[in-house]
Amino acid sequence: RVKMKAIMNKEKPQTLEQAREYIDAIDSALVELLAQRQFYVDQALKFKRSGYELQSPERTEQVMNKVRAEAQAHALDPILVERIYQQITEHIIQRELKEIRP
């Protein structure tokens, strides 16, 4: 099993198989983090009272600015990260609207 410490330290893989193991471990961690994020999104829904709070353009803008800056700080394409977060945000809004207006 791949050690996350090796991945976090950006240890260079010695083989193609090892590189793929690192990628697979990161994919698993990303899915786990997305599940954790979804848990807290669900918790936040309990505090929202209106459709405006669900869509909250100010909060969306704040998140987008933050993730773009994070991407740039890690030498990652901010456009890619923004597109991913747009998809996440759109999915969450639609999911929350269904919860409030079944």
Side-chain angles (χ1 to χ4, degrees), residues 52-80:
Y52 181 79
E53 285 180 322
L54 291 178
Q55 297 178 38
S56 185
E58 295 87 8
R59 175 64 179 153
T60 299
E61 179 85 13
Q62 180 185 40
V63 170
M64 292 301 175
N65 289 337
K66 193 160 126 185
V67 297
R68 277 193 300 265
E70 283 284 326
Q72 289 174 328
H74 291 281
L76 183 62
D77 183 354
I79 295 170
L80 170 64

Side-chain angles (χ1 to χ4, degrees), residues 23-38:
I23 292 166
D24 290 347
I26 291 167
D27 288 343
S28 292
L30 284 170
V31 170
E32 183 177 338
L33 287 169
L34 286 169
Q36 290 172 4
R37 188 181 195 282
Q38 182 64 57

Side-chain angles (χ1 to χ4, degrees), residues 12-102:
K12 293 192 180 202
Q14 301 303 311
T15 64
L16 174 60
E17 290 76 22
Q18 189 177 37
R20 287 179 174 165
E21 285 177 15
Y22 287 3
I23 292 166
D24 290 347
I26 291 167
D27 288 343
S28 292
L30 284 170
V31 170
E32 183 177 338
L33 287 169
L34 286 169
Q36 290 172 4
R37 188 181 195 282
Q38 182 64 57
F39 172 80
Y40 287 107
V41 166
D42 291 346
Q43 297 304 304
L45 180 59
K46 295 173 185 178
F47 302 103
K48 296 178 181 180
R49 292 176 178 81
S50 70
Y52 181 79
E53 285 180 322
L54 291 178
Q55 297 178 38
S56 185
E58 295 87 8
R59 175 64 179 153
T60 299
E61 179 85 13
Q62 180 185 40
V63 170
M64 292 301 175
N65 289 337
K66 193 160 126 185
V67 297
R68 277 193 300 265
E70 283 284 326
Q72 289 174 328
H74 291 281
L76 183 62
D77 183 354
I79 295 170
L80 170 64
V81 173
E82 184 174 3
R83 286 181 182 160
I84 291 167
Y85 270 82
Q86 284 171 338
Q87 288 292 312
I88 290 170
T89 301
E90 288 171 17
H91 176 79
I92 288 168
I93 290 169
Q94 291 307 311
R95 190 170 175 267
E96 288 180 341
L97 286 171
K98 286 179 186 173
E99 284 286 318
I100 290 203
R101 298 183 219 142

